[in-house]
Amino acid sequence: MADTSTRFDIAIIGSGISGSSLGAILARHGLRVVIFEAGVHPKFAVGESMILETSETMRAMAELFDVPELAFFSSEHYLAQIGTSHGLKRHFSFLHHEEGRPHELRRSLQAVIPQRPHGYELHIHRQDSDYLLTSVAVRYGATVLQATPVKDITLREDGVEVLTAQGALYQADYIVDAGGMRSLLAEKFGWRSRELQAHTRTIYTHMVDLPCYNQIGASHQSYGIPFPVSEGTLHHVFHGGWLWVIPFNNHPAATNPLVSIGLQLDPRIHPAREDLSPEAEFFNFVERFPSIAAHFRGARAARAWTRTGRLQYTATQIVGERFCLQGHAAGFIDPLYSKGLYTTLMSTALLAHLLLDAHRDRDYSAERFKPLEELTLRYVAAHDRVVANSYKSWSNYKLWSVYSVLWLLGAYTEYVKLLSTRGRARSRAEYFATVQTLRLVGGGFAEFKALADRIDSIIEAVDPCDEAAVDRAVAEIRALYDATPWIPWAFRQLLAGRNHLPANKLRLSLLRQSSAGFMGEGAFRRHFFGDATMAEVARFFASESVKYSASALTLRKRLGFRKRRAAPSRVRVSRG
């Protein structure tokens, strides 16, 4: 008879956001789950900037799987519950720079995040978020073995065996490898691939004493943008790379002095300086751009600098018999646009759905998990293309001024589709039947994909150093936008020269029934809203505003605390 202390339904390698969220869901639904973690929480991680698509996926996971804690990092309205080590994100801001020249105010873009209906987004301090979610998994009954690296995995017809570095042996019906780039199973089967368009490396750390850029350079009023750039995620972009600035200290209640910093460079344009330390290379590089150099003068690192080789990798396959790759074990492209965390959590949600059904039917055949493989590879491929073409467009500001609109349009339509799908789905199965067909951007809308394919092809073909060719490409892209009737008016304003989106892209005044309105008409309206009326959409919008308001969340937390005090739950605690 098998030792029940080492026999589980599901084994998971890695307790980052993906592994811990999956473990919490499965344990909440009665499965015996073991999570192997090579490190010890709290531990450093990057991937700190939330986006609308990621937050909406978190809300869907919380509701569909009845794990409310999974929504904790989806909005500023949860700060009272998760603590003040996290930052606020009101926008994405981009400042386009040229070497040797001060920044020109006109080369700016601020994509404001709508405050309604859910509140602004967050910059999540990952050592806190990942530890919290791991603790949530434990609370629901998962066994978490920290400081327990996995040495080997044996796949059998009736299950899997996991051998730890300490020599302990565990059995499970299925194993999920969420162990990142050095995935044991990807290496075991030779699935790792770097056949991707994007090609970048990074230097990153956390810093203190970094002021808001608007205190060093021109004010946000001078830029004509709604918010200071420190109140969101700042991107300094330039030929061959970009630099992220993600503050955790940017709101009145903040207690965390850190700012996350990362410099991404195409090594074919900016080769690594192995003769310099990572810190010295960072400061040596930013000196090329006077305004960026001024921004970082006086800032100090709070942890050791990290310098990597090429970031990009994927997998030729994602699923096999009795196992799958998950999160960054399946692939990673670039931190740009914060799509990696969205890819991770959407694939986690779909995997949880598939595993619950597989456990119910006692059928873990690889064929049942093909939707996970198809979705993951689509997302990675889409992110690869948009990243590669964004880097190329930064080599000539005229290209970036039109390509940035495609990125924004893809993100906006994806978010609208996710939100409307959650609002309309009557079951978990119905929700996943829709979202498993998505492509990371565009909300699965065929007309967006056709538009994006044409614009991406134009960017891929143009030489950014040939001004005449660039002018022709820009004119061709603008003509494509002009011929697309369903593009919302706010995006047309960007094409007309405005440097920011309105403060609330989903305000009710946009719900007018015309091709320029929020709901649109024809194929656009059918795809994103089905047969819903404007009144039904408005009611859903209003109900979300109430349901996810700070006051409603605080009330639910207090009621839940009283309920737990009246009937404390039993949790299983294990040590590796």
Side-chain angles (χ1 to χ4, degrees):
M1 184 174 178
D3 182 355
T4 57
S5 67
T6 60
R7 184 71 177 85
F8 295 87
D9 298 313
I10 308 295
I12 301 170
I13 301 175
S15 64
I17 281 185
S18 175
S20 58
S21 297
L22 180 63
I25 292 169
L26 299 178
R28 169 71 180 83
H29 287 264
L31 278 66
R32 286 179 52 81
V33 178
V34 59
I35 303 175
F36 300 96
E37 171 54 56
V40 176
H41 289 286
K43 60 194 185 79
F44 176 82
V46 291
E48 301 145 321
S49 179
M50 293 294 290
I51 58 175
L52 292 168
E53 304 95 292
T54 308
S55 294
E56 174 52 32
T57 301
M58 286 181 155
R59 284 186 288 271
M61 293 168 73
E63 293 183 11
L64 293 168
F65 297 113
D66 193 22
V67 183
E69 297 90 345
L70 296 183
F72 277 10
F73 299 97
S74 66
S75 163
E76 61 172 327
H77 293 163
Y78 283 99
L79 279 173
Q81 302 184 42
I82 61 176
T84 54
S85 65
H86 309 282
L88 189 64
K89 181 177 178 178
R90 300 181 191 269
H91 57 76
F92 276 97
S93 285
F94 294 81
L95 303 179
H96 183 274
H97 300 262
E98 290 187 338
E99 284 196 36
R101 301 179 61 180
H103 184 253
E104 297 179 34
L105 273 66
R106 67 181 182 86
R107 296 189 174 201
S108 58
L109 172 65
Q110 188 168 94
V112 179
I113 291 166
Q115 188 176 21
R116 293 178 292 172
H118 302 113
Y120 290 120
E121 301 290 324
L122 295 174
H123 292 153
I124 54 175
H125 191 224
R126 286 290 300 274
Q127 71 176 49
D128 295 335
S129 62
D130 294 17
Y131 193 11
L132 186 151
L133 289 171
T134 299
S135 301
V136 169
V138 173
R139 178 173 176 269
Y140 280 112
T143 297
V144 177
L145 304 176
Q146 298 191 60
T148 308
V150 173
K151 182 178 181 180
D152 196 17
I153 300 164
T154 302
L155 303 170
R156 304 190 186 282
E157 189 174 317
D158 59 348
V160 300
E161 289 185 348
V162 181
L163 178 66
T164 71
Q166 292 89 339
L169 193 64
Y170 295 82
Q171 295 82 34
D173 292 330
Y174 194 92
I175 187 164
V176 177
D177 188 341
M181 181 183 70
R182 296 178 180 84
S183 157
L184 281 174
L185 290 172
E187 296 295 334
K188 193 181 191 77
F189 291 99
W191 287 357
R192 189 59 78 224
S193 170
R194 291 187 180 269
E195 295 298 318
L196 296 157
Q197 297 180 64
H199 194 120
T200 62
R201 62 187 181 94
T202 186
I203 303 171
Y204 62 87
T205 191
H206 281 172
M207 302 188 86
V208 295
D209 298 333
L210 183 71
C212 174
Y213 177 83
N214 295 126
Q215 294 176 298
I216 304 301
S219 67
H220 75 279
Q221 294 94 339
S222 298
Y223 274 97
I225 54 180
F227 300 107
V229 294
S230 62
E231 293 185 9
T233 304
L234 171 60
H235 306 65
H236 292 295
V237 303
F238 42 82
H239 172 57
W242 68 285
L243 193 163
W244 84 63
V245 181
I246 302 176
F248 304 112
N249 61 349
N250 62 353
H251 58 95
T255 55
N256 187 344
L258 297 175
V259 180
S260 180
I261 302 299
L263 175 65
Q264 279 65 235
L265 300 171
D266 185 334
R268 298 167 299 185
I269 299 171
H270 305 294
R273 291 288 307 274
E274 300 295 346
D275 57 317
L276 299 176
S277 69
E279 179 178 21
E281 183 182 6
F282 176 89
F283 282 105
N284 178 271
F285 185 86
V286 300
E287 282 297 327
R288 303 181 188 187
F289 304 93
S291 298
I292 302 178
H295 187 194
F296 282 87
R297 204 156 287 136
R300 296 174 295 130
R303 57 172 288 111
W305 290 79
T306 299
R307 177 168 55 194
T308 74
R310 187 184 180 190
L311 293 173
Q312 291 72 33
Y313 61 91
T314 185
T316 54
Q317 289 181 235
I318 303 298
V319 303
E321 295 298 336
R322 298 274 177 176
F323 73 93
C324 71
L325 309 183
Q326 180 60 22
H328 289 171
F332 181 78
I333 300 300
D334 192 277
L336 185 61
Y337 306 134
S338 304
K339 300 292 190 185
L341 199 52
Y342 170 46
T343 299
T344 291
L345 286 174
M346 177 53 76
S347 60
T348 299
L350 177 57
L351 177 58
H353 169 66
L354 296 173
L355 279 173
L356 289 174
D357 287 354
H359 176 74
R360 177 198 63 206
D361 299 339
R362 309 306 299 171
D363 177 9
Y364 291 97
S365 60
E367 189 62 30
R368 296 191 69 140
F369 295 89
K370 278 296 181 183
L372 173 70
E373 179 166 286
E374 293 165 357
L375 177 136
T376 303
L377 294 179
R378 277 199 313 272
Y379 274 42
V380 170
H383 194 201
D384 182 40
R385 195 175 196 189
V386 74
V387 165
N389 286 336
S390 293
Y391 273 77
K392 187 173 184 180
S393 75
W394 297 332
S395 295
N396 191 307
Y397 181 72
K398 288 182 285 187
L399 293 174
W400 169 239
S401 69
V402 291
Y403 193 73
S404 60
V405 176
L406 183 67
W407 156 63
L408 283 167
L409 190 60
Y412 173 74
T413 49
E414 185 83 359
Y415 170 60
V416 171
K417 183 63 174 180
L418 290 170
L419 185 59
S420 66
T421 300
R422 179 167 60 86
R424 297 174 60 212
R426 292 163 295 184
S427 66
R428 174 162 56 88
E430 184 177 341
Y431 176 86
F432 284 106
T434 297
V435 300
Q436 72 184 37
T437 65
L438 297 180
R439 295 179 174 274
L440 183 83
V441 293
F445 187 39
E447 292 186 26
F448 173 85
K449 185 178 186 306
L451 175 67
D453 283 344
R454 293 186 67 181
I455 292 174
D456 278 318
S457 296
I458 292 169
I459 294 291
E460 288 158 357
V462 71
D463 178 358
C465 297
D466 183 337
E467 291 296 334
V470 167
D471 289 341
R472 289 193 297 271
V474 169
E476 189 176 353
I477 291 170
R478 286 185 175 276
L480 289 171
Y481 287 136
D482 289 343
T484 304
W486 47 266
I487 294 180
W489 68 269
F491 299 89
R492 296 196 184 279
Q493 292 295 304
L494 294 177
L495 291 166
R498 194 171 187 176
N499 69 347
H500 65 275
L501 288 174
N504 194 353
K505 297 186 289 296
L506 294 181
R507 62 182 183 269
L508 294 180
S509 63
L510 293 180
L511 299 179
R512 58 184 185 273
Q513 293 187 28
S514 74
S515 59
F518 176 80
M519 293 183 68
E521 60 186 9
F524 181 91
R525 182 165 182 156
R526 288 192 299 274
H527 179 80
F528 288 99
F529 301 102
D531 57 1
T533 66
M534 184 171 64
E536 289 171 336
V537 171
R539 281 196 297 271
F540 176 68
F541 185 95
S543 68
E544 288 287 292
S545 297
V546 173
K547 181 178 181 180
Y548 286 99
S549 66
S551 57
L553 295 174
T554 299
L555 178 61
R556 286 204 293 275
K557 181 176 184 296
R558 288 175 178 171
L559 293 175
F561 177 72
R562 291 173 183 171
K563 183 178 180 180
R564 287 197 303 273
R565 289 192 65 181
S569 60
R570 297 181 63 185
V571 297
R572 181 164 59 249
V573 179
S574 298
R575 293 184 174 87

